[in-house]
Amino acid sequence: MMKSPVRLLAIAAAATALAGCSLTPEIVKPQPPVAEQFPQHAAAQSQRPAVDIGWREFFTDPRLQQLIETALANNRDLRTAALNIEQARALYNVQRADVLPTINGTANASRARTPGALSASGRPLLTDVYQVGLGISAFELDFFGRVRALNQAALASYLATEEAQRVAQISLVSETAKAFLAELAAAEQLVLAQRTLAGRQQGYELAKQRFDVGASSALDLRLSETLVESARVSVLQLQRQRAQAHNALVLLVGAPIGELAPGNDLSSQQLITDIPAGLPSDLLTNRPDIRAAEQRLRASYANIGVARAAFFPRISLTAGYGTASTQLSNLFSAGSSSWNFTPQLTVPLFDWGRNRSNLQLAEVRRDLTVTDYEKTIQTAFREVADALVARGTLEDQVEAQRRVRVAEVERLNLAQQRFKNGVSSSLDVLDAERELFTAEQTLVQTRLLRLTNAIDVYRSLGGGLKVQ
């Protein structure tokens, strides 16, 4: 006879301990489908990997640091990623609870009337029943690992969601910095365009005066006017680009931000540009998107174990222990104990191919996650390789473009001197002004490319999670 609920718990615990069989296949991670070395690139002087460099150390501009900090606190996409983690954690905790039996306390009272025609005494009979006890309801004895496989799949999905949140943080840090630099570049180009417009307007006034006194042709005047209007178009375009860059930055930060401080330009931004690339195999541990793909792979293997277990019997246990009495005052009296023990066996017989199809579906999904895992590695390899190749050329490109600008300044000075001395026409001066403006704008764009490339190297190697 069952004398206490401790025995019921002992039976459930023993059954759980016997459930040692697992049908989940062993996880086989494919070899990284990339080369063992990154393509040839410029050697880095620093020995610190990107994952060890905090974003505050990488981005030294105080204004940018404040924007990134605000973005990490307010960005809605990052907030959604954090809530997805909470959701995945709750789902995992729900699934994990199925590994152990659920014990419920029960209490009920009932009254029934039996008509006289059915009672032994021939008179109507009123019966009262009071019950109090503990019960285990439909606890599955996990002999074939189905519940544990579900738990493993839920855990892997939760961990993948955590890694996805880290991916979102890295992306947010880098995109905020890029938007900040884009606004700086647009502001710097706008200043150049406004200065060029003012200079060309003065040149147009001089050309008009010369035309009025017959010292120059209508062609010179119209060309000067064309340059003025071209500069005006550039000013309007850059005003729009700066406003749009500011709006993009506000969206990333998730809160209103003030205008950029005057005098803050791209040349004042100092980023670490010599981060070592390491080996492609390092990406497997440094990049959270690859780690997330690996967790999804683990979840797919666990789901195969769930599908395999569906071919085998499922054994569940319902049990209870308590006291019962027809009188409330005698509910806890001696001899009022009651118990029940109801094991249930469910054996799949005819499911018309449902279980087999579910297993095939789980295996196909496993193959899809393998492909996704390999593609994630390949994408990460390409991002790093592209960033490293660009890093090897952009430094030289900035220097070459700076020399182009210096040469155009000298050309404009010589053209102006020749024009004053009557050696050349105003067309040479106007052409030199146009080329100088183009060289200055291109220099700003090239500096922006160099800075964004440094951010790409930092992000693609897994940097942006640490603060300091």
Side-chain angles (χ1 to χ4, degrees), residues 171-188:
S171 177
L172 178 60
V173 169
S174 63
E175 292 303 318
T176 301
K178 287 183 179 181
F180 174 76
L181 295 177
E183 185 175 358
L184 283 185
E188 189 172 347

Side-chain angles (χ1 to χ4, degrees), residues 187-333:
E188 189 172 347
Q189 289 179 307
L190 179 59
V191 171
L192 291 174
Q194 290 172 337
R195 187 176 64 198
T196 300
L197 176 60
R200 289 182 180 179
Q201 285 177 332
Q202 292 178 358
Y204 173 75
E205 295 298 331
L206 293 175
K208 189 174 185 303
Q209 293 175 6
R210 289 173 58 82
F211 174 75
D212 291 339
V213 298
S216 64
S217 65
L219 179 61
D220 292 341
L221 178 62
R222 293 311 171 196
L223 181 56
S224 180
E225 182 181 5
T226 300
L227 292 178
V228 170
E229 296 307 321
S230 297
R232 196 185 310 278
V233 170
S234 297
V235 168
L236 295 174
Q237 289 177 340
L238 289 168
Q239 285 177 341
R240 181 175 65 253
Q241 291 176 9
R242 182 182 180 185
Q244 291 173 343
H246 182 80
N247 292 338
L249 186 58
V250 170
L251 178 62
L252 288 169
V253 171
I257 59 177
E259 295 295 329
L260 297 176
N264 197 359
D265 55 18
L266 294 178
S267 60
S268 64
Q269 301 299 311
Q270 302 296 326
L271 304 181
I272 302 175
T273 59
D274 59 348
I275 299 175
L279 298 174
S281 58
D282 297 334
L283 298 178
L284 302 182
T285 57
N286 293 342
R287 297 236 337 186
D289 56 339
I290 297 179
R291 297 198 299 266
E294 180 181 341
Q295 293 299 334
R296 291 192 294 269
L297 182 62
R298 293 180 180 276
S300 68
Y301 272 90
N303 287 328
I304 290 178
V306 176
R308 286 179 175 178
F311 287 89
F312 295 88
R314 293 175 59 179
I315 302 174
S316 61
L317 171 65
T318 298
Y321 175 84
T323 62
S325 175
T326 58
Q327 295 183 0
L328 185 61
S329 58
N330 296 331
L331 185 60
F332 297 100
S333 300

Side-chain angles (χ1 to χ4, degrees), residues 6 20-21 30 66 83 93 95-96 112 137 144 155 164 166 176 239 272 304 307-308 426 449 457:
V6 176
C21 179
Q66 181 183 7
L83 292 174
N93 288 335
Q95 188 60 57
R96 185 177 61 176
S137 177
F144 302 102
L155 175 60
R166 295 187 179 99
T176 301
Q239 285 177 341
I272 302 175
I304 290 178
R308 286 179 175 178
S426 61
L449 283 175
V457 173

Side-chain angles (χ1 to χ4, degrees), residues 24-69:
T24 301
E26 183 180 355
I27 297 176
V28 179
K29 291 194 295 183
Q31 290 296 323
V34 294
E36 296 182 357
Q37 298 285 341
F38 289 111
Q40 186 176 2
H41 58 274
Q45 300 298 323
S46 174
Q47 297 300 319
R48 296 181 61 195
V51 292
D52 292 339
I53 301 175
W55 58 261
R56 283 189 176 276
E57 182 180 355
F58 187 79
F59 302 108
T60 57
D61 187 293
R63 172 65 169 160
L64 178 54
Q65 290 179 349
Q66 181 183 7
L67 291 173
I68 292 176
E69 184 176 357

